[in-house]
Each structure stands twice: as structure tokens, then as C-alpha cells.
Amino acid sequence: MRTQIGIVGAGPAGLLLSHLLHLQGIESVIVEARSRKYIEERIRAGVLEQGTVDMLVETGVGERLKREGLIHHGIELRFNRRGHRINMYELTGGKAITIYAQHEVVKDLVSARLAAGGQIFFEAGDVSVDGFSGTTPSICFAADGKPHELSCDFIAGCDGFHGVCRPSIPSGVLTAFDRTYPFAWLGILAQAPPSSHELVYAYHERGFALLSMRSPEISRLYVQCPPDEDIANWPDEKIWQELHTRLECVDGWRLAEGPIIQKGITGMRSFVVEPMQYGRLFLAGDSAHIVPPTGAKGLNLAAADIRVISRALGEYYASGKTQLLDSYSATCLRRVWKVQRFSWWMTSMLHRFSDDNPFDQRRQLAELDYVTSSRAASASLAENYVGLPMDWSVRPR
Ligand SMILES: Cc1cc2nc3c(=O)[nH]c(=O)nc-3n(C[C@H](O)[C@H](O)[C@H](O)COP(=O)(O)OP(=O)(O)OC[C@H]3O[C@@H](n4cnc5c(N)ncnc54)[C@H](O)[C@@H]3O)c2cc1C
């Protein structure tokens, strides 16, 4: 088999890349380890930046997103049992975030690719990448009980943090920057109408809590927990009790409960590799970087990488110029590090650390007070939360 771009991974990064390439008349094939059903039901992120929404809508995969997505103009920071709204819409000159679950984005992209005749190999086994340090990259895998070799011009490693592409780069090429946090998030999906129209980020002496949502009927809620916590230690009643305590507010606000339909624990990590390219292999999304979810940036950062690589490949096939491809990593990393900074800052401001002391707690509360009372500080939070501007927009050729 032969194609122009071989893509490993059908997460948001790989699917979006294949879609944007198609709009520019560039062929690609996606090789995905899991089944279509699995990737379309995998519960992960749910907050889309303004730029991510605009990109999906502008490129023709935003119909359902426009219909079903919940547009939010603000978020609430809650501390000392009082809520403080950050009016992002006003502070950013009219930008917003949209609540639309990651697996819905995946469904929309899979169906757009298949409708356009795109090729996705699901449930591929023994995936390996080769030849990318020279001029003959290829992806080998097993599918439908047969071995396959896909020759291509370039490989996009969109296979997430645990994929094969990053580890296939020779040792000594990449430098990893890593930070693990001394806590995790216990997250639930509950069949309960969200108790707030907007996300509530709560700082509490017992630890962080977040009230989020996936739809008008489904709430997504999180509590900070120890990193090695066993979910078996958290029966449903204990989770609700903790959420009530940490989200409590003096104004009589009440948290609505409902049946818990899913629960799990997610570790918190900041991770970046530099550079994000080697030869004819380009890493994008979680394969190159991980952010703690506090800033709601993982999926959005993956989409930003894809915007850069799709434009660079578009220029290469249109003119033969490699300038944008050569600068792919440097272009992406400028944004990656700003997003890392923001995600780390939100995480540090809102969580209790195992070694913190009364000074640290007072400092965190002072920071929250400052962020919610200073227009300049609120504007900075809002600008980052709705998404820093991209350098250009995607235009189909
Ligand atoms: C458990 C979890 C919860 C999260 N929750 C949030 C959240 O609440 N908020 C938030 O903002 N972000 C969250 N994130 C982060 C966000 O979901 C990711 O940043 C986003 O999925 C990145 O997209 P991606 O396409 O780069 O990677 P992924 O979505 O990980 O996609 C990679 C794809 O590659 C496939 N793959 C892996 N290995 C191979 C292989 N060897 N061969 C072929 N295919 C392979 C995988 O099956 C997957 O489909 C969460 C992440 C995780 C893991």
C-alpha cells in the first residue's frame, strides 16, 4: 500500500489531520490500534477552545457541534465558600468555550473521513514505524488477519502518550521535560442535570473539586485524590459527600445528585518532548506532550499542532518548499510551553499539595482573590482559557 501521509492513531489529532489533509487534496491512511466503537465511546476531554470550535466549523465538521454544544461565556472560581465569576466573553472581546465531549468530536471526524472515502484501519496489531530517518518511511501492522506495509512520504505520530512513534525515535534525539503531581483526579459521569450553567473550579481545604458537564442531562464532576488511590475505596455515597463538602457555597446553592454511570482516576502530569519531529516523522498531540487537565487544554493543544502540520504539508505538496515542515517543532513548542505554563499555574493555584503549609494556603487564597478582583489578572486567565490566538487560519485549497 502507498499513501502520502501515514497516520498512526485515530484520536482527535490523527483524525483531524486526515480531514484537513483531505481538504487540501492530500491523501492519508490512518492506522488505529482500537476498534471504532472503543474510540467513539472513550470518555475524556469536553472543553473546546474558541479556535478549536472555529476550525471544526470552518472545515465542515461542526454541524452537530453547533447544534448540541453548550456555549459558555464564563467560569466560576469558588473559594472560602463563595463563587466569583470570570466573564471570559467580556474580557476577551467576545470569545467563549464550548462544552462538547471529545468522543463526539471523534464520532464526527470518523464519519466525515469515511463519508469522504478516507481509509482507517481499526484494531491494527503489531504497529511499527520505520524508514523515517531516510526517504522511505513506512508503517507495518496487522489487520484482518494479514500483515500490511504502508509506504508513505511522511509519518504523523498521533498515537497518544503510550504509542509507538515517540519510542521509535533513536535514543539521544529527544529531550523529555516531565513533572508528575502528588495527586490525581477522581472523575465521575452522573445522570444529573448540571447544578451550574458554567464550570465551577473549587479550592477547598480538603482539596480541589470541579463541576463540569457533558450535556444538559449529564454532569461531569471531579475531586482531587491521592495519586495511588484505589477507586474501590470510593463508593458512590462517599464521592457525593466529598463533592457536597468541597463545592459548598454560602448562597444556598445545591449540588444535584444522580446515578453515577462512570467513574475513574486520572493521574496528573506535565510532559513535553523536544523536538517534536525527527526526519520524516512528526509527533502531534499527546504523543509529544501531556498537560494536567485543570486548564482543559489536552485536546485543544492536539488540534493546534494539527493546524500547524497540515499547513506545512499543504505548502510542501503545493510548492515543494520544506520551510514550514522544518520549523514544525519550533512553531508548535512556542504554544505548547505557554499552554504548559497555564495548565501548571491553574493546577498549582487550585490544588492542595501534600507538603503545603499554612503559608502556601494563604498564598493560594491571595492568588485566587487577586485573579478574581483584578481585571488584568482575570483577563489573563480568560485569554488563556478560551485559547491563545493561532498564527493563521486553515483555508482549504
Ligand atoms: C483518561 C484521560 C482523561 C482525560 N481527560 C481530560 C479532560 O477531562 N480534559 C482535558 O482537557 N483533557 C483530558 N484528557 C486529555 C485529552 O483527552 C488528550 O489530550 C487528547 O485525547 C489528545 O488527543 P490525541 O489524538 O493526541 O491522543 P489520543 O486521544 O490519546 O489518541 C491516540 C490514538 O492512538 C491510538 N494508539 C495508541 N497506540 C497505538 C499504536 N501503537 N498503534 C496504533 N494506534 C495507537 C489510541 O488508541 C488512540 O486512539 C484526558 C486524557 C486521558 C488519557
Side-chain angles (χ1 to χ4, degrees), residues 8-14 31-34 39 42 44-46 102 127 158-160 162-164 214 222 266 284-286 293 296-299 302:
V8 187
V31 178
E32 163 61 48
R34 302 287 194 160
I39 64 163
R42 186 166 42 193
R44 285 192 172 173
Q102 176 168 328
V127 180
C158 301
D159 49 348
H162 300 287
V164 291
R214 287 294 179 265
Y222 300 92
T266 309
D286 277 17
K297 292 289 170 222
L299 164 59

PDB file of all heavy atoms in Angstrom, residues 8-14 31-34 39 42 44-46 102 127 158-160 162-164 214 222 266 284-286 293 296-299 302, ligand 1:
ATOM      1  N   VAL A   8      -0.500   7.391  12.444  1.00  0.00           N
ATOM      2  CA  VAL A   8      -0.677   6.371  13.482  1.00  0.00           C
ATOM      3  C   VAL A   8      -1.568   6.970  14.567  1.00  0.00           C
ATOM      4  O   VAL A   8      -1.206   7.967  15.201  1.00  0.00           O
ATOM      5  CB  VAL A   8       0.666   5.919  14.092  1.00  0.00           C
ATOM      6  CG1 VAL A   8       0.440   4.736  15.042  1.00  0.00           C
ATOM      7  CG2 VAL A   8       1.648   5.519  12.995  1.00  0.00           C
ATOM      8  N   GLY A   9      -2.760   6.386  14.772  1.00  0.00           N
ATOM      9  CA  GLY A   9      -3.668   6.837  15.824  1.00  0.00           C
ATOM     10  C   GLY A   9      -4.869   7.597  15.290  1.00  0.00           C
ATOM     11  O   GLY A   9      -4.721   8.554  14.534  1.00  0.00           O
ATOM     12  N   ALA A  10      -6.064   7.122  15.695  1.00  0.00           N
ATOM     13  CA  ALA A  10      -7.310   7.800  15.299  1.00  0.00           C
ATOM     14  C   ALA A  10      -7.933   8.465  16.517  1.00  0.00           C
ATOM     15  O   ALA A  10      -9.119   8.312  16.802  1.00  0.00           O
ATOM     16  CB  ALA A  10      -8.272   6.816  14.657  1.00  0.00           C
ATOM     17  N   GLY A  11      -7.119   9.214  17.255  1.00  0.00           N
ATOM     18  CA  GLY A  11      -7.658  10.106  18.283  1.00  0.00           C
ATOM     19  C   GLY A  11      -8.016  11.415  17.587  1.00  0.00           C
ATOM     20  O   GLY A  11      -7.978  11.501  16.351  1.00  0.00           O
ATOM     21  N   PRO A  12      -8.319  12.448  18.360  1.00  0.00           N
ATOM     22  CA  PRO A  12      -8.643  13.733  17.735  1.00  0.00           C
ATOM     23  C   PRO A  12      -7.526  14.226  16.814  1.00  0.00           C
ATOM     24  O   PRO A  12      -7.802  14.739  15.728  1.00  0.00           O
ATOM     25  CB  PRO A  12      -8.808  14.676  18.930  1.00  0.00           C
ATOM     26  CG  PRO A  12      -9.067  13.799  20.102  1.00  0.00           C
ATOM     27  CD  PRO A  12      -8.426  12.487  19.828  1.00  0.00           C
ATOM     28  N   ALA A  13      -6.256  14.027  17.205  1.00  0.00           N
ATOM     29  CA  ALA A  13      -5.143  14.551  16.402  1.00  0.00           C
ATOM     30  C   ALA A  13      -5.084  13.859  15.036  1.00  0.00           C
ATOM     31  O   ALA A  13      -5.074  14.514  13.991  1.00  0.00           O
ATOM     32  CB  ALA A  13      -3.820  14.385  17.155  1.00  0.00           C
ATOM     33  N   GLY A  14      -5.053  12.535  15.031  1.00  0.00           N
ATOM     34  CA  GLY A  14      -4.912  11.799  13.784  1.00  0.00           C
ATOM     35  C   GLY A  14      -6.091  12.011  12.851  1.00  0.00           C
ATOM     36  O   GLY A  14      -5.932  12.196  11.641  1.00  0.00           O
ATOM     37  N   VAL A  31      -3.902   4.354  10.834  1.00  0.00           N
ATOM     38  CA  VAL A  31      -3.762   3.020  11.433  1.00  0.00           C
ATOM     39  C   VAL A  31      -4.041   3.157  12.932  1.00  0.00           C
ATOM     40  O   VAL A  31      -3.323   3.877  13.640  1.00  0.00           O
ATOM     41  CB  VAL A  31      -2.336   2.474  11.196  1.00  0.00           C
ATOM     42  CG1 VAL A  31      -2.164   1.117  11.859  1.00  0.00           C
ATOM     43  CG2 VAL A  31      -2.032   2.392   9.708  1.00  0.00           C
ATOM     44  N   GLU A  32      -5.100   2.515  13.417  1.00  0.00           N
ATOM     45  CA  GLU A  32      -5.557   2.696  14.805  1.00  0.00           C
ATOM     46  C   GLU A  32      -5.601   1.342  15.513  1.00  0.00           C
ATOM     47  O   GLU A  32      -6.136   0.368  14.983  1.00  0.00           O
ATOM     48  CB  GLU A  32      -6.942   3.360  14.798  1.00  0.00           C
ATOM     49  CG  GLU A  32      -7.736   3.272  16.094  1.00  0.00           C
ATOM     50  CD  GLU A  32      -7.065   3.922  17.302  1.00  0.00           C
ATOM     51  OE1 GLU A  32      -6.597   5.066  17.185  1.00  0.00           O
ATOM     52  OE2 GLU A  32      -7.005   3.274  18.374  1.00  0.00           O
ATOM     53  N   ALA A  33      -5.073   1.320  16.745  1.00  0.00           N
ATOM     54  CA  ALA A  33      -4.993   0.053  17.478  1.00  0.00           C
ATOM     55  C   ALA A  33      -6.353  -0.440  17.986  1.00  0.00           C
ATOM     56  O   ALA A  33      -6.574  -1.637  18.127  1.00  0.00           O
ATOM     57  CB  ALA A  33      -4.040   0.221  18.663  1.00  0.00           C
ATOM     58  N   ARG A  34      -7.262   0.485  18.263  1.00  0.00           N
ATOM     59  CA  ARG A  34      -8.541   0.106  18.879  1.00  0.00           C
ATOM     60  C   ARG A  34      -9.661   0.004  17.844  1.00  0.00           C
ATOM     61  O   ARG A  34      -9.500   0.418  16.700  1.00  0.00           O
ATOM     62  CB  ARG A  34      -8.941   1.166  19.920  1.00  0.00           C
ATOM     63  CG  ARG A  34      -7.923   1.361  21.009  1.00  0.00           C
ATOM     64  CD  ARG A  34      -7.932   0.193  21.952  1.00  0.00           C
ATOM     65  NE  ARG A  34      -7.204   0.495  23.163  1.00  0.00           N
ATOM     66  CZ  ARG A  34      -7.364  -0.176  24.294  1.00  0.00           C
ATOM     67  NH1 ARG A  34      -8.199  -1.181  24.359  1.00  0.00           N
ATOM     68  NH2 ARG A  34      -6.666   0.150  25.351  1.00  0.00           N
ATOM     69  N   ILE A  39     -13.099   3.814  20.317  1.00  0.00           N
ATOM     70  CA  ILE A  39     -12.647   5.221  20.285  1.00  0.00           C
ATOM     71  C   ILE A  39     -13.828   6.187  20.296  1.00  0.00           C
ATOM     72  O   ILE A  39     -13.704   7.313  20.744  1.00  0.00           O
ATOM     73  CB  ILE A  39     -11.702   5.535  19.094  1.00  0.00           C
ATOM     74  CG1 ILE A  39     -12.406   5.365  17.745  1.00  0.00           C
ATOM     75  CG2 ILE A  39     -10.434   4.714  19.160  1.00  0.00           C
ATOM     76  CD1 ILE A  39     -11.670   6.051  16.600  1.00  0.00           C
ATOM     77  N   ARG A  42     -14.860   6.445  24.163  1.00  0.00           N
ATOM     78  CA  ARG A  42     -13.834   6.703  25.185  1.00  0.00           C
ATOM     79  C   ARG A  42     -14.073   8.093  25.799  1.00  0.00           C
ATOM     80  O   ARG A  42     -13.975   9.104  25.131  1.00  0.00           O
ATOM     81  CB  ARG A  42     -12.462   6.613  24.522  1.00  0.00           C
ATOM     82  CG  ARG A  42     -11.297   6.704  25.431  1.00  0.00           C
ATOM     83  CD  ARG A  42     -10.001   6.269  24.751  1.00  0.00           C
ATOM     84  NE  ARG A  42      -9.861   6.762  23.403  1.00  0.00           N
ATOM     85  CZ  ARG A  42      -8.958   6.323  22.521  1.00  0.00           C
ATOM     86  NH1 ARG A  42      -8.121   5.357  22.842  1.00  0.00           N
ATOM     87  NH2 ARG A  42      -8.884   6.832  21.329  1.00  0.00           N
ATOM     88  N   ARG A  44     -13.238  11.302  27.656  1.00  0.00           N
ATOM     89  CA  ARG A  44     -12.044  12.074  28.006  1.00  0.00           C
ATOM     90  C   ARG A  44     -12.408  13.546  28.154  1.00  0.00           C
ATOM     91  O   ARG A  44     -13.246  13.896  28.952  1.00  0.00           O
ATOM     92  CB  ARG A  44     -10.955  11.861  26.977  1.00  0.00           C
ATOM     93  CG  ARG A  44     -10.307  10.483  27.132  1.00  0.00           C
ATOM     94  CD  ARG A  44      -9.071  10.387  26.339  1.00  0.00           C
ATOM     95  NE  ARG A  44      -8.340   9.164  26.607  1.00  0.00           N
ATOM     96  CZ  ARG A  44      -7.281   8.801  25.911  1.00  0.00           C
ATOM     97  NH1 ARG A  44      -6.857   9.536  24.915  1.00  0.00           N
ATOM     98  NH2 ARG A  44      -6.642   7.691  26.210  1.00  0.00           N
ATOM     99  N   ALA A  45     -11.809  14.389  27.330  1.00  0.00           N
ATOM    100  CA  ALA A  45     -11.992  15.838  27.500  1.00  0.00           C
ATOM    101  C   ALA A  45     -13.380  16.297  27.048  1.00  0.00           C
ATOM    102  O   ALA A  45     -14.121  15.529  26.436  1.00  0.00           O
ATOM    103  CB  ALA A  45     -10.916  16.554  26.695  1.00  0.00           C
ATOM    104  N   GLY A  46     -13.689  17.552  27.338  1.00  0.00           N
ATOM    105  CA  GLY A  46     -15.005  18.052  26.934  1.00  0.00           C
ATOM    106  C   GLY A  46     -15.093  19.557  26.741  1.00  0.00           C
ATOM    107  O   GLY A  46     -16.155  20.074  26.444  1.00  0.00           O
ATOM    108  N   GLN A 102     -15.210  14.997  23.876  1.00  0.00           N
ATOM    109  CA  GLN A 102     -14.171  14.566  22.928  1.00  0.00           C
ATOM    110  C   GLN A 102     -14.648  13.403  22.051  1.00  0.00           C
ATOM    111  O   GLN A 102     -14.366  13.370  20.854  1.00  0.00           O
ATOM    112  CB  GLN A 102     -12.921  14.162  23.715  1.00  0.00           C
ATOM    113  CG  GLN A 102     -11.816  13.603  22.845  1.00  0.00           C
ATOM    114  CD  GLN A 102     -10.494  13.466  23.576  1.00  0.00           C
ATOM    115  OE1 GLN A 102     -10.175  14.246  24.469  1.00  0.00           O
ATOM    116  NE2 GLN A 102      -9.709  12.490  23.200  1.00  0.00           N
ATOM    117  N   VAL A 127       1.807  -2.644  15.483  1.00  0.00           N
ATOM    118  CA  VAL A 127       2.109  -1.453  14.673  1.00  0.00           C
ATOM    119  C   VAL A 127       3.564  -1.036  14.906  1.00  0.00           C
ATOM    120  O   VAL A 127       4.032  -0.963  16.050  1.00  0.00           O
ATOM    121  CB  VAL A 127       1.159  -0.293  15.058  1.00  0.00           C
ATOM    122  CG1 VAL A 127       1.463   0.950  14.223  1.00  0.00           C
ATOM    123  CG2 VAL A 127      -0.299  -0.721  14.884  1.00  0.00           C
ATOM    124  N   CYS A 158       0.429  10.284  15.823  1.00  0.00           N
ATOM    125  CA  CYS A 158      -0.704  10.847  16.579  1.00  0.00           C
ATOM    126  C   CYS A 158      -1.240   9.782  17.515  1.00  0.00           C
ATOM    127  O   CYS A 158      -2.448   9.662  17.716  1.00  0.00           O
ATOM    128  CB  CYS A 158      -1.800  11.294  15.613  1.00  0.00           C
ATOM    129  SG  CYS A 158      -1.262  12.518  14.417  1.00  0.00           S
ATOM    130  N   ASP A 159      -0.340   8.953  18.065  1.00  0.00           N
ATOM    131  CA  ASP A 159      -0.755   7.759  18.795  1.00  0.00           C
ATOM    132  C   ASP A 159      -0.708   7.921  20.310  1.00  0.00           C
ATOM    133  O   ASP A 159      -0.569   6.940  21.046  1.00  0.00           O
ATOM    134  CB  ASP A 159       0.057   6.535  18.330  1.00  0.00           C
ATOM    135  CG  ASP A 159       1.560   6.796  18.303  1.00  0.00           C
ATOM    136  OD1 ASP A 159       1.976   7.962  18.414  1.00  0.00           O
ATOM    137  OD2 ASP A 159       2.326   5.818  18.164  1.00  0.00           O
ATOM    138  N   GLY A 160      -0.847   9.163  20.771  1.00  0.00           N
ATOM    139  CA  GLY A 160      -1.013   9.374  22.209  1.00  0.00           C
ATOM    140  C   GLY A 160       0.254   9.123  23.009  1.00  0.00           C
ATOM    141  O   GLY A 160       1.319   8.802  22.464  1.00  0.00           O
ATOM    142  N   HIS A 162       1.080   6.723  25.063  1.00  0.00           N
ATOM    143  CA  HIS A 162       1.611   5.352  25.158  1.00  0.00           C
ATOM    144  C   HIS A 162       1.830   4.709  23.789  1.00  0.00           C
ATOM    145  O   HIS A 162       1.936   3.488  23.694  1.00  0.00           O
ATOM    146  CB  HIS A 162       0.653   4.480  25.995  1.00  0.00           C
ATOM    147  CG  HIS A 162       0.471   4.997  27.392  1.00  0.00           C
ATOM    148  ND1 HIS A 162       1.448   4.899  28.347  1.00  0.00           N
ATOM    149  CD2 HIS A 162      -0.562   5.653  27.978  1.00  0.00           C
ATOM    150  CE1 HIS A 162       1.025   5.462  29.466  1.00  0.00           C
ATOM    151  NE2 HIS A 162      -0.191   5.926  29.267  1.00  0.00           N
ATOM    152  N   GLY A 163       1.883   5.524  22.747  1.00  0.00           N
ATOM    153  CA  GLY A 163       2.001   4.986  21.394  1.00  0.00           C
ATOM    154  C   GLY A 163       3.402   4.485  21.066  1.00  0.00           C
ATOM    155  O   GLY A 163       4.301   4.454  21.911  1.00  0.00           O
ATOM    156  N   VAL A 164       3.589   4.104  19.790  1.00  0.00           N
ATOM    157  CA  VAL A 164       4.874   3.525  19.371  1.00  0.00           C
ATOM    158  C   VAL A 164       5.794   4.540  18.695  1.00  0.00           C
ATOM    159  O   VAL A 164       6.993   4.286  18.560  1.00  0.00           O
ATOM    160  CB  VAL A 164       4.683   2.350  18.376  1.00  0.00           C
ATOM    161  CG1 VAL A 164       4.057   1.166  19.057  1.00  0.00           C
ATOM    162  CG2 VAL A 164       3.887   2.769  17.148  1.00  0.00           C
ATOM    163  N   ARG A 214     -21.371  17.429  30.430  1.00  0.00           N
ATOM    164  CA  ARG A 214     -21.209  16.968  29.059  1.00  0.00           C
ATOM    165  C   ARG A 214     -22.434  17.313  28.216  1.00  0.00           C
ATOM    166  O   ARG A 214     -22.372  17.359  27.006  1.00  0.00           O
ATOM    167  CB  ARG A 214     -20.970  15.447  29.027  1.00  0.00           C
ATOM    168  CG  ARG A 214     -19.591  15.052  29.500  1.00  0.00           C
ATOM    169  CD  ARG A 214     -18.509  15.568  28.550  1.00  0.00           C
ATOM    170  NE  ARG A 214     -17.164  15.218  29.013  1.00  0.00           N
ATOM    171  CZ  ARG A 214     -16.398  16.021  29.740  1.00  0.00           C
ATOM    172  NH1 ARG A 214     -16.837  17.224  30.094  1.00  0.00           N
ATOM    173  NH2 ARG A 214     -15.192  15.658  30.108  1.00  0.00           N
ATOM    174  N   TYR A 222     -15.379  16.121  39.411  1.00  0.00           N
ATOM    175  CA  TYR A 222     -14.070  15.587  39.820  1.00  0.00           C
ATOM    176  C   TYR A 222     -13.751  16.018  41.257  1.00  0.00           C
ATOM    177  O   TYR A 222     -14.126  17.123  41.673  1.00  0.00           O
ATOM    178  CB  TYR A 222     -12.953  16.156  38.954  1.00  0.00           C
ATOM    179  CG  TYR A 222     -13.035  15.872  37.470  1.00  0.00           C
ATOM    180  CD1 TYR A 222     -13.667  16.767  36.616  1.00  0.00           C
ATOM    181  CD2 TYR A 222     -12.432  14.744  36.919  1.00  0.00           C
ATOM    182  CE1 TYR A 222     -13.714  16.541  35.250  1.00  0.00           C
ATOM    183  CE2 TYR A 222     -12.477  14.510  35.547  1.00  0.00           C
ATOM    184  CZ  TYR A 222     -13.108  15.416  34.715  1.00  0.00           C
ATOM    185  OH  TYR A 222     -13.150  15.185  33.369  1.00  0.00           O
ATOM    186  N   THR A 266      -7.649   9.624  37.121  1.00  0.00           N
ATOM    187  CA  THR A 266      -6.688  10.076  36.102  1.00  0.00           C
ATOM    188  C   THR A 266      -5.505  10.733  36.797  1.00  0.00           C
ATOM    189  O   THR A 266      -5.697  11.666  37.594  1.00  0.00           O
ATOM    190  CB  THR A 266      -7.351  11.135  35.179  1.00  0.00           C
ATOM    191  OG1 THR A 266      -8.588  10.616  34.698  1.00  0.00           O
ATOM    192  CG2 THR A 266      -6.458  11.478  34.000  1.00  0.00           C
ATOM    193  N   ALA A 284       2.505  14.627  17.123  1.00  0.00           N
ATOM    194  CA  ALA A 284       1.477  15.642  17.371  1.00  0.00           C
ATOM    195  C   ALA A 284       0.559  15.181  18.496  1.00  0.00           C
ATOM    196  O   ALA A 284       0.304  13.989  18.654  1.00  0.00           O
ATOM    197  CB  ALA A 284       0.656  15.881  16.099  1.00  0.00           C
ATOM    198  N   GLY A 285       0.050  16.128  19.270  1.00  0.00           N
ATOM    199  CA  GLY A 285      -0.877  15.806  20.360  1.00  0.00           C
ATOM    200  C   GLY A 285      -0.164  15.124  21.510  1.00  0.00           C
ATOM    201  O   GLY A 285       1.019  15.367  21.783  1.00  0.00           O
ATOM    202  N   ASP A 286      -0.907  14.218  22.179  1.00  0.00           N
ATOM    203  CA  ASP A 286      -0.393  13.579  23.401  1.00  0.00           C
ATOM    204  C   ASP A 286       0.863  12.756  23.167  1.00  0.00           C
ATOM    205  O   ASP A 286       1.540  12.395  24.128  1.00  0.00           O
ATOM    206  CB  ASP A 286      -1.474  12.663  24.010  1.00  0.00           C
ATOM    207  CG  ASP A 286      -2.469  13.434  24.875  1.00  0.00           C
ATOM    208  OD1 ASP A 286      -2.532  14.666  24.750  1.00  0.00           O
ATOM    209  OD2 ASP A 286      -3.182  12.791  25.675  1.00  0.00           O
ATOM    210  N   PRO A 293      -5.184  18.178  33.462  1.00  0.00           N
ATOM    211  CA  PRO A 293      -6.439  18.598  32.835  1.00  0.00           C
ATOM    212  C   PRO A 293      -7.057  19.887  33.388  1.00  0.00           C
ATOM    213  O   PRO A 293      -8.079  20.342  32.877  1.00  0.00           O
ATOM    214  CB  PRO A 293      -7.375  17.405  33.091  1.00  0.00           C
ATOM    215  CG  PRO A 293      -6.793  16.693  34.245  1.00  0.00           C
ATOM    216  CD  PRO A 293      -5.324  16.935  34.227  1.00  0.00           C
ATOM    217  N   ALA A 296      -7.984  22.385  30.907  1.00  0.00           N
ATOM    218  CA  ALA A 296      -8.815  21.844  29.817  1.00  0.00           C
ATOM    219  C   ALA A 296      -8.150  22.035  28.458  1.00  0.00           C
ATOM    220  O   ALA A 296      -8.765  22.495  27.501  1.00  0.00           O
ATOM    221  CB  ALA A 296     -10.202  22.498  29.835  1.00  0.00           C
ATOM    222  N   LYS A 297      -6.885  21.669  28.368  1.00  0.00           N
ATOM    223  CA  LYS A 297      -6.113  22.010  27.175  1.00  0.00           C
ATOM    224  C   LYS A 297      -5.666  20.838  26.296  1.00  0.00           C
ATOM    225  O   LYS A 297      -5.247  21.063  25.161  1.00  0.00           O
ATOM    226  CB  LYS A 297      -4.840  22.781  27.587  1.00  0.00           C
ATOM    227  CG  LYS A 297      -5.109  24.149  28.153  1.00  0.00           C
ATOM    228  CD  LYS A 297      -5.568  25.098  27.075  1.00  0.00           C
ATOM    229  CE  LYS A 297      -6.071  26.404  27.620  1.00  0.00           C
ATOM    230  NZ  LYS A 297      -7.272  26.879  26.971  1.00  0.00           N
ATOM    231  N   GLY A 298      -5.692  19.593  26.802  1.00  0.00           N
ATOM    232  CA  GLY A 298      -5.076  18.474  26.065  1.00  0.00           C
ATOM    233  C   GLY A 298      -5.563  18.355  24.630  1.00  0.00           C
ATOM    234  O   GLY A 298      -4.781  18.369  23.674  1.00  0.00           O
ATOM    235  N   LEU A 299      -6.861  18.267  24.462  1.00  0.00           N
ATOM    236  CA  LEU A 299      -7.453  18.107  23.130  1.00  0.00           C
ATOM    237  C   LEU A 299      -7.200  19.355  22.277  1.00  0.00           C
ATOM    238  O   LEU A 299      -6.910  19.262  21.075  1.00  0.00           O
ATOM    239  CB  LEU A 299      -8.958  17.863  23.315  1.00  0.00           C
ATOM    240  CG  LEU A 299      -9.893  18.024  22.142  1.00  0.00           C
ATOM    241  CD1 LEU A 299      -9.510  17.100  21.011  1.00  0.00           C
ATOM    242  CD2 LEU A 299     -11.316  17.722  22.573  1.00  0.00           C
ATOM    243  N   ALA A 302      -3.660  19.451  20.992  1.00  0.00           N
ATOM    244  CA  ALA A 302      -3.514  18.487  19.883  1.00  0.00           C
ATOM    245  C   ALA A 302      -4.032  19.124  18.594  1.00  0.00           C
ATOM    246  O   ALA A 302      -3.395  19.044  17.541  1.00  0.00           O
ATOM    247  CB  ALA A 302      -4.283  17.201  20.212  1.00  0.00           C
TER     248      ALA A 302
HETATM  249  C1  LIG B   1      -8.022   9.148  30.815  1.00  0.00           C
HETATM  250  C2  LIG B   1      -7.888  10.526  30.226  1.00  0.00           C
HETATM  251  C3  LIG B   1      -8.768  11.535  30.603  1.00  0.00           C
HETATM  252  C4  LIG B   1      -8.638  12.809  30.065  1.00  0.00           C
HETATM  253  N1  LIG B   1      -9.472  13.786  30.490  1.00  0.00           N
HETATM  254  C5  LIG B   1      -9.315  15.033  30.005  1.00  0.00           C
HETATM  255  C6  LIG B   1     -10.146  16.081  30.448  1.00  0.00           C
HETATM  256  O1  LIG B   1     -11.040  15.888  31.282  1.00  0.00           O
HETATM  257  N2  LIG B   1      -9.940  17.328  29.945  1.00  0.00           N
HETATM  258  C7  LIG B   1      -8.945  17.572  29.003  1.00  0.00           C
HETATM  259  O2  LIG B   1      -8.793  18.711  28.535  1.00  0.00           O
HETATM  260  N3  LIG B   1      -8.157  16.595  28.562  1.00  0.00           N
HETATM  261  C8  LIG B   1      -8.317  15.341  29.039  1.00  0.00           C
HETATM  262  N4  LIG B   1      -7.507  14.367  28.603  1.00  0.00           N
HETATM  263  C9  LIG B   1      -6.526  14.710  27.581  1.00  0.00           C
HETATM  264  C10 LIG B   1      -7.106  14.637  26.164  1.00  0.00           C
HETATM  265  O3  LIG B   1      -8.118  13.688  26.110  1.00  0.00           O
HETATM  266  C11 LIG B   1      -5.958  14.338  25.205  1.00  0.00           C
HETATM  267  O4  LIG B   1      -5.067  15.417  25.260  1.00  0.00           O
HETATM  268  C12 LIG B   1      -6.399  14.074  23.770  1.00  0.00           C
HETATM  269  O5  LIG B   1      -7.045  12.837  23.681  1.00  0.00           O
HETATM  270  C13 LIG B   1      -5.192  14.115  22.826  1.00  0.00           C
HETATM  271  O6  LIG B   1      -5.548  13.627  21.567  1.00  0.00           O
HETATM  272  P1  LIG B   1      -4.533  12.742  20.717  1.00  0.00           P
HETATM  273  O7  LIG B   1      -5.236  12.446  19.440  1.00  0.00           O
HETATM  274  O8  LIG B   1      -3.218  13.400  20.694  1.00  0.00           O
HETATM  275  O9  LIG B   1      -4.297  11.413  21.557  1.00  0.00           O
HETATM  276  P2  LIG B   1      -5.322  10.252  21.926  1.00  0.00           P
HETATM  277  O10 LIG B   1      -6.681  10.772  22.084  1.00  0.00           O
HETATM  278  O11 LIG B   1      -4.695   9.503  23.055  1.00  0.00           O
HETATM  279  O12 LIG B   1      -5.330   9.334  20.629  1.00  0.00           O
HETATM  280  C14 LIG B   1      -4.270   8.452  20.314  1.00  0.00           C
HETATM  281  C15 LIG B   1      -4.839   7.294  19.500  1.00  0.00           C
HETATM  282  O13 LIG B   1      -3.761   6.440  19.124  1.00  0.00           O
HETATM  283  C16 LIG B   1      -4.145   5.100  19.340  1.00  0.00           C
HETATM  284  N5  LIG B   1      -2.932   4.318  19.529  1.00  0.00           N
HETATM  285  C17 LIG B   1      -2.159   4.228  20.637  1.00  0.00           C
HETATM  286  N6  LIG B   1      -1.118   3.411  20.413  1.00  0.00           N
HETATM  287  C18 LIG B   1      -1.238   2.982  19.143  1.00  0.00           C
HETATM  288  C19 LIG B   1      -0.472   2.110  18.331  1.00  0.00           C
HETATM  289  N7  LIG B   1       0.620   1.508  18.807  1.00  0.00           N
HETATM  290  N8  LIG B   1      -0.865   1.896  17.074  1.00  0.00           N
HETATM  291  C20 LIG B   1      -1.983   2.484  16.566  1.00  0.00           C
HETATM  292  N9  LIG B   1      -2.761   3.320  17.309  1.00  0.00           N
HETATM  293  C21 LIG B   1      -2.392   3.554  18.562  1.00  0.00           C
HETATM  294  C22 LIG B   1      -5.047   5.150  20.560  1.00  0.00           C
HETATM  295  O14 LIG B   1      -5.911   4.047  20.639  1.00  0.00           O
HETATM  296  C23 LIG B   1      -5.804   6.460  20.311  1.00  0.00           C
HETATM  297  O15 LIG B   1      -6.994   6.248  19.567  1.00  0.00           O
HETATM  298  C24 LIG B   1      -7.624  13.077  29.125  1.00  0.00           C
HETATM  299  C25 LIG B   1      -6.750  12.064  28.731  1.00  0.00           C
HETATM  300  C26 LIG B   1      -6.859  10.807  29.275  1.00  0.00           C
HETATM  301  C27 LIG B   1      -5.894   9.743  28.844  1.00  0.00           C
END
